[in-house]
Amino acid sequence: MHNFTPLSGLIGGALIGLASALLMLLAGRIAGISGIFGGLLAPAAGDRGWRVAFIAGLIAAPLIAALGGAPLPAPVMPASLTLVAIAGLLVGFGTRLGSGCTSGHGVCGIARLSGRSIVATVIFMAAAIATVAIVRHGFGG
């Protein structure tokens, strides 16, 4: 296993938990990224500011960390942009089908002991494990 960084993972996880707890406590909102971003597409009155701030923070945080000296790994992209586009569409479809994304169900839903979110997260994880098994040991090499 390479890139094993338990300390940064612990700190990152704690910050995600803190951010989602604060959003719930202070604004009464779930920190599900698909719902936050989706709400920007058709915002309710007075609902746009916090959504823009949250998305901007997701983009700005690694950039600020890089300015502070944290290394930013270069993303590994497949050679086919068509494959990337298809994968993105499938993720978007799955997010709509599952009524949320991994952050909403996995972080916030499980913390609220939502049965629907627990089932969704189990399905996300099973699909991820199956995908890695197929790609790494099946047709992917």
Side-chain angles (χ1 to χ4, degrees):
M1 180 184 307
H2 61 288
N3 297 329
F4 181 64
T5 55
L7 184 59
S8 64
L10 178 66
I11 293 168
L15 289 173
I16 290 169
L18 178 64
S20 62
L22 287 174
L23 187 61
M24 176 60 84
L25 289 171
L26 300 176
R29 304 292 185 161
I30 302 287
I33 306 308
S34 63
I36 292 171
F37 183 76
L40 282 175
L41 302 177
D47 198 38
R48 187 176 179 92
W50 74 269
R51 292 176 189 274
V52 169
F54 198 95
I55 298 294
L58 290 176
I59 295 167
L63 301 176
I64 292 168
L67 289 174
L72 289 181
V76 179
M77 297 293 288
S80 169
L81 290 179
T82 303
L83 182 63
V84 172
I86 291 169
L89 289 171
L90 287 172
V91 168
F93 177 74
T95 298
R96 294 294 290 177
L97 184 67
S99 299
C101 58
T102 53
S103 57
H105 285 302
V107 175
C108 301
I110 289 177
R112 294 181 304 117
L113 300 177
S114 165
R116 182 179 80 155
S117 290
I118 292 168
V119 169
T121 303
V122 167
I123 292 170
F124 295 155
M125 294 304 295
I129 291 166
T131 300
V132 168
I134 291 168
V135 170
R136 293 244 173 119
H137 306 293
F139 65 84

